[in-house]
């Protein structure tokens, strides 16, 4: 029987499995073609008999790739640190002198953002010394106009009523369970009314649209690929080691670890 296997996986597996055998040993002489062929046969037989080795190697490789990706995203976020700290017009919750800023780029039509909303609520309650910033990034607006409508309404509420009313509206929209095209104008107005908002300030739409456009440009500068995109970093002295970029839905525990890391 002929055993076929991926060459890269074999190389990794050999390194993972047999690498310790060469530790401290002198460099071997170059193997002959016959010896190389025999080593390949032995390795193939070993991997067939121990398939868990390839599984472990695959896990190790994935972890290494994830760590490299996280490092690159953190370094990209650092380039936009000054812009992320400019919060004029951006809805925020938490003390102005907070040492840590958590920024979420979101869309009200995003189902993943809806899943992340209760996690953010939980983390906010546990970290009242942290400032949370919510940046509307209406990536679904091309398909669902309610994406822009909901963001405009939220920004108007923030401007008129402040943080508590805004958070009631923000979380209320996600509590409807309507997203990916199911959110309606009626949903938006009902949630706005429940949050204590009055009539929308239509004159604020131009400023809201400008802010949304700025958020979109910033998200692209940071290399974010979708919503939710969450960045946890110190307000000052941010580095790649104390900055975390979270591209998607995570647990409260993961969020807390990122906050604790930024606090160091």
């Amino acid at each position: 029987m002929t055993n076929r296997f991926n060459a890269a996986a074999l190389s990794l597996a050999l390194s993972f499995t047999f690498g310790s055998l060469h530790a401290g040993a002198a460099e071997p002489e170059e193997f002959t073609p016959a010896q190389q062929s025999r080593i390949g046969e032995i390795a193939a037989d070993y991997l067939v008999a121990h398939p868990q080795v390839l599984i472990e190697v695959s896990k190790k490789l994935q972890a290494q790739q994830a760590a490299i990706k996280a490092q690159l995203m953190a370094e990209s976020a650092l380039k936009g640190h000054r812009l992320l700290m400019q919060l004029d017009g951006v809805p925020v919750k938490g003390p102005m002198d907070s040492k840590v800023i958590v920024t979420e780029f979101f869309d009200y039509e995003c189902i993943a953002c809806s899943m992340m909303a209760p996690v953010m609520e939980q983390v906010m309650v546990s970290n009242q010394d942290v400032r949370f910033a919510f940046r509307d990034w209406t990536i679904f607006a091309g398909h669902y106009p309610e994406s822009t409508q909901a963001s405009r309404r939220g920004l108007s509420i923030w401007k008129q009523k402040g943080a508590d009313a805004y958070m009631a509206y923000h979380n209320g929209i996600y509590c409807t369970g309507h997203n990916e095209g199911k959110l309606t104008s009626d949903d938006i107005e009902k949630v706005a009314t429940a949050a204590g908002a009055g009539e929308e300030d239509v004159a604020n739409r131009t400023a809201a649209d400008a802010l949304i456009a700025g958020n979109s440009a910033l998200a692209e500068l940071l290399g974010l690929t979708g919503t939710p995109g969450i960045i946890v970093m110190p307000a000052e002295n941010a580095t790649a080691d104390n900055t975390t970029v979270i591209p998607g839905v995570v647990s409260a525990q993961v969020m807390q670890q990122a906050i604790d890391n930024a606090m160091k």
Side-chain angles (χ1 to χ4, degrees):
M1 177 182 295
T2 301
N3 296 310
R4 297 182 179 180
F5 49 89
N6 184 279
L10 172 58
S11 178
L12 285 169
L14 287 172
S15 175
F16 182 81
T17 309
F18 303 118
S20 61
L21 297 178
H22 297 286
E27 285 293 323
E29 296 181 1
E30 185 176 345
F31 294 114
T32 66
Q35 288 173 325
Q36 292 177 17
S37 177
R38 181 55 183 152
I39 290 171
E41 292 173 0
I42 293 171
D45 291 342
Y46 183 88
L47 293 177
V48 169
H50 303 84
Q52 70 275 12
V53 171
L54 283 177
I55 296 174
E56 290 301 320
V57 170
S58 178
K59 289 180 179 178
K60 185 176 182 180
L61 179 60
Q62 289 176 1
Q64 291 174 341
Q65 291 174 334
I68 292 171
K69 182 178 180 181
Q71 183 76 6
L72 292 174
M73 289 192 296
E75 291 174 357
S76 180
L78 291 177
K79 298 177 183 178
H81 181 268
R82 180 179 60 82
L83 296 174
L84 285 166
M85 297 303 109
Q86 294 178 5
L87 298 171
D88 291 344
V90 177
V92 295
K93 177 74 172 178
M96 294 183 63
D97 61 349
S98 173
K99 295 181 179 179
V100 174
I101 305 291
V102 176
T103 302
E104 180 182 15
F105 288 81
F106 70 94
D107 188 314
Y108 284 118
E109 288 279 14
C110 170
I111 189 170
C113 297
S114 179
M115 296 167 62
M116 193 64 201
V119 176
M120 291 292 286
E121 282 191 84
Q122 180 182 344
V123 172
M124 290 174 74
V125 170
S126 302
N127 296 272
Q128 298 193 26
D129 57 340
V130 172
R131 201 170 200 202
F132 292 80
F134 297 89
R135 291 184 178 270
D136 299 78
W137 186 20
T138 56
I139 60 175
F140 289 89
H143 297 287
Y144 314 127
E146 289 78 12
S147 169
T148 299
Q149 182 183 346
S151 284
R152 286 173 170 172
R153 195 69 167 104
L155 290 170
S156 177
I157 292 171
W158 160 251
K159 185 175 181 180
Q160 292 178 337
K161 298 290 185 178
D164 290 340
Y166 173 80
M167 292 309 307
Y169 171 82
H170 180 87
N171 292 322
I173 290 291
Y174 289 125
C175 284
T176 66
H178 295 172
N179 46 63
E180 305 285 353
K182 296 179 182 179
L183 185 66
T184 67
S185 297
D186 191 45
D187 289 330
I188 294 169
E189 288 310 309
K190 283 182 178 178
V191 173
T193 299
E199 293 288 329
E200 180 189 0
D201 181 6
V202 178
N204 187 58
R205 287 185 179 179
T206 300
D209 290 348
L211 182 63
I212 293 168
N215 289 339
S216 178
L218 179 56
E220 293 177 11
L221 173 68
L222 298 172
L224 298 180
T225 57
T227 54
I230 301 169
I231 300 172
V232 184
M233 67 194 321
E236 298 180 357
N237 302 316
T239 68
D241 291 330
N242 59 26
T243 297
T244 305
V245 179
I246 301 171
V249 180
V250 295
S251 66
Q253 181 181 6
V254 171
M255 284 291 299
Q256 190 61 57
Q257 288 173 344
I259 291 172
D260 291 344
N261 184 54
M263 285 285 190
K264 295 178 180 177

